[in-house]
Amino acid sequence: DVKVTQSSRYLVKRTGEKVFLECVQDMDHENMFWYRQDPGLGLRLIYFSYDVKMKEKGDIPEGYSVSREKKERFSLILESASTNQTSMYLCASSSQGEETQYFGPGTRLLVL
Amino acid sequence: RKEVEQDPGPFNVPEGATVAFNCTYSNSASQSFFWYRQDCRKEPKLLMSVYSSGNEDGRFTAQLNRASQYISLLIRDSKLSDSATYLCVVIMNNAGNNRKLIWGLGTSLGVNP
């Protein structure tokens, strides 16, 4: 079974704090993705990565950065959290050539 | 027009009912199609792929209509456990021949006893 884990289920941070969201997958997948999901807006792609050290901007990268130092780990960084970054953050992975995405359980981030 | 559109619902049906959802897409060059299921406060999970010839998995049937640019999901004999949001996903080639996933906003289904 594919397992994608995220470091926290719930997180509360203050405006201006630096926030790290970690994602780990155990299936040796090449591709990893970070989404946020908001009511009425659906899933929106923030960043993705097709390989170690590689990163590509998604549809809404502003205010975020990512790091992929190891194949199994993809980190999302909020350099200076703002209240409009309060959201559900979902990490996903997929194998190269496969289109099915496997999601982690999500992190609900509240920025006060 | 949005790239992928779904009726948000909610669809509320009694147990045992048959219910169908559609998902329309705007880009005729779209290549692959999927249905995901997302339970309340959980992550999306793949329900089924949608093949050109249509496909069936137990009580679930997925169809693709390329001429009218929509995919459909039919659920027969609804169970309480089918209550969830159903997300459609359309994959297309964008500039540079990269594949891009477009997610619908989802259709909410409630199955009542």
Side-chain angles (χ1 to χ4, degrees), chain A residues 35 37 41 99 101 104, chain B residues 32 36 38 43 99 103 105:
Chain A
Y35 293 90
Q37 187 174 32
L41 296 175
E99 290 162 338
Q101 294 199 353
Chain B
S32 304
Y36 279 70
Q38 185 172 23
E43 72 274 22
R99 293 173 76 75
W103 292 82
L105 297 187

Side-chain angles (χ1 to χ4, degrees), chain A residues 44-100:
Chain A
R44 293 182 291 167
L45 183 64
I46 304 171
Y47 267 97
F48 59 101
S49 168
Y50 287 140
D51 204 348
V52 177
K53 306 276 189 187
M54 288 185 61
K55 59 184 178 183
E56 299 280 346
K57 291 181 180 178
D59 299 317
I60 52 161
E62 297 78 20
Y64 303 94
S65 62
V66 290
S67 171
R68 187 135 182 234
E69 295 297 316
K70 292 185 177 181
K71 189 175 185 180
E72 67 271 18
R73 188 179 297 268
F74 192 34
S75 304
L76 180 69
I77 302 146
L78 287 65
E79 296 288 343
S80 177
S82 63
T83 54
N84 63 12
Q85 292 178 311
T86 290
S87 187
M88 168 74 132
Y89 289 88
L90 288 157
C91 174
S93 73
S94 69
S95 180
Q96 190 174 14
E98 285 279 336
E99 290 162 338
T100 302

Side-chain angles (χ1 to χ4, degrees), chain A residues 9-10 33 35 37 40-43 50 59 88 90 99-106 108, chain B residues 2 32 34 36 38 40-46 49 87 91 98-101 103-105:
Chain A
R9 293 299 300 273
Y10 301 94
F33 307 83
Y35 293 90
Q37 187 174 32
L41 296 175
L43 277 160
Y50 287 140
D59 299 317
M88 168 74 132
L90 288 157
E99 290 162 338
T100 302
Q101 294 199 353
Y102 298 88
F103 284 84
R108 289 194 175 273
Chain B
K2 285 184 183 173
S32 304
F34 301 87
Y36 279 70
Q38 185 172 23
C40 188
R41 304 183 78 82
K42 296 283 184 76
E43 72 274 22
K45 292 183 180 177
L46 179 69
S49 305
L87 305 168
I91 298 179
N98 293 317
R99 293 173 76 75
K100 182 178 180 183
L101 272 74
W103 292 82
L105 297 187

